[in-house]
Amino acid sequence: MVRQNMLATLRRVEVNKGAPGIDQVTIKDLRDYVREHWDRIREELLTGPYKPLQLRVQTRTQGT
């Protein structure tokens, strides 16, 4: 089930032509990255140590 969910998510990202995230992996390179690192990704998703990267969020204050 994990693999099916990952492939469905990957297809949605490809269709939406999403921009690179904080990791700078492009849509063009994403499928190859997932294929190459699948064993580790799967293990981390199933056992729980996967932690998304911290995002730095900038907010605008009123009047700026």
Side-chain angles (χ1 to χ4, degrees):
M1 188 68 146
V2 173
R3 186 172 192 277
Q4 291 169 331
N5 288 343
M6 178 64 81
L7 289 174
T9 301
L10 180 58
R11 281 194 228 47
R12 283 194 303 268
V13 170
E14 289 172 337
V15 166
N16 291 335
K17 296 182 174 109
I22 194 167
D23 57 6
Q24 298 302 306
V25 175
T26 65
I27 296 304
K28 181 178 179 231
D29 297 332
L30 183 59
R31 188 170 286 272
D32 289 336
Y33 179 86
V34 169
R35 188 176 292 125
E36 181 179 341
H37 298 279
W38 175 244
D39 291 334
R40 179 186 53 81
I41 292 169
R42 180 181 182 278
E43 185 65 25
E44 289 182 11
L45 288 170
L46 290 174
T47 61
Y50 172 78
K51 296 212 182 341
L53 294 173
Q54 286 274 339
L55 297 179
R56 187 172 142 196
V57 178
Q58 292 182 338
T59 59
R60 292 176 57 185
T61 58
Q62 191 160 357
T64 312

